Amino acid sequence: MHAELDTSSYPTGIQVSDDEIAALPITRHRFHGDWNYTLHSQHPMDAETTDSTSDPAPASRPLRLTRRSLQNPELTGMTRQQLSELIDALTPALEVQREQVLRTRRGHERLVATGTGAKAKLTPADRILVTVLHLRKLATMDLLGQLFDVTAMTISRAKQEVRPLLEAHGHHINTSTARLRTPADVATFLAPDSTQTKVKKTS
């Protein structure tokens, strides 16, 4: 590594928009991704497309995003056990809330057995998960819609339903420093970090 003093003058007060930042070929690191990141000469996905002569090894292929992978503590900011307990605590209230909404729409009590009729696009567990991820400021509603195969409006409605319940139960969701723009960003973020070295604790 080489460093030297740059004595040149540069203009100050230049502002960079969020859209300009989002367009940069950046891979954010797991730890404080707003501060620690790799800036590529071209977008990693573009580089893969350009280098079409070699087939990447299976270990380097993007992680397949599943509901379980989206429950990763790196994304939710809580352990899987804590998330499970949160879902168990809020689901009954969500189901009661949904039944009240449907009753209002129908104008009368349910005429068929519970569980029949049109299915909700998101399960109660999914609605809680998408709300947690959005409150973490990890992803936009558009991205969450892509990840859960629904519209951004469905994500917005889920958040409107779940957020008051979180507040009523005293659950505070901490924001993350990571900002993910595409499903590929999420897969890269969750991929095993080969640059991190585990330090064995000694007595």
Side-chain angles (χ1 to χ4, degrees):
M1 180 180 293
H2 171 76
E4 63 181 51
L5 177 63
D6 184 353
T7 58
S8 303
S9 298
Y10 298 94
T12 60
I14 298 176
Q15 296 185 350
V16 181
S17 68
D18 290 342
D19 289 340
E20 289 174 312
I21 290 293
L24 293 174
I26 288 178
T27 298
R28 298 186 185 278
H29 300 178
R30 287 189 181 186
F31 182 74
H32 288 293
D34 279 356
W35 308 329
N36 304 307
Y37 53 83
T38 300
L39 180 61
H40 306 277
S41 57
Q42 60 178 322
H43 196 283
M45 295 301 291
D46 294 338
E48 291 178 7
T49 303
T50 301
D51 187 13
S52 58
T53 59
S54 60
D55 187 27
S60 65
R61 294 186 187 279
L63 176 70
R64 181 172 176 269
L65 296 174
T66 63
R67 289 295 191 272
R68 178 169 175 77
S69 63
L70 294 175
Q71 294 172 357
N72 190 299
E74 297 280 0
L75 293 177
T76 64
M78 62 185 82
T79 66
R80 292 185 184 277
Q81 179 64 29
Q82 289 171 329
L83 178 62
S84 178
E85 292 173 353
L86 179 62
I87 290 173
D88 289 344
L90 299 187
T91 293
L94 267 179
E95 291 177 338
V96 169
Q97 188 180 75
R98 174 174 169 77
E99 189 59 34
Q100 290 174 341
V101 170
L102 293 176
R103 185 187 303 117
T104 300
R105 290 178 183 173
R106 290 191 303 262
H108 55 76
E109 294 296 328
R110 177 184 288 275
L111 301 178
V112 295
T114 302
T116 59
K119 302 296 182 183
K121 294 181 180 178
L122 293 174
T123 66
D126 286 343
R127 279 181 276 169
I128 294 167
L129 177 57
V130 298
T131 301
V132 168
L133 295 179
H134 193 261
L135 291 177
R136 291 265 292 158
K137 300 188 183 299
L138 279 159
T140 64
M141 290 186 182
D142 285 334
L143 174 54
L144 290 172
Q146 294 178 55
L147 296 175
F148 286 81
D149 196 26
V150 295
T151 65
M153 183 60 69
T154 298
I155 300 296
S156 178
R157 283 197 294 267
K159 181 183 173 184
Q160 291 173 6
E161 294 172 357
V162 175
R163 187 170 189 174
L165 297 179
L166 285 171
E167 295 173 351
H169 284 72
H171 291 287
H172 176 71
I173 305 301
N174 294 319
T175 58
S176 170
T177 59
R179 299 294 179 268
L180 308 174
R181 308 287 180 178
T182 66
D185 288 345
V186 180
T188 300
F189 181 78
L190 293 177
D193 190 352
S194 60
T195 64
Q196 288 188 350
T197 302
K198 291 185 179 180
V199 179
K200 184 177 180 180
K201 187 176 180 180
T202 58
S203 56

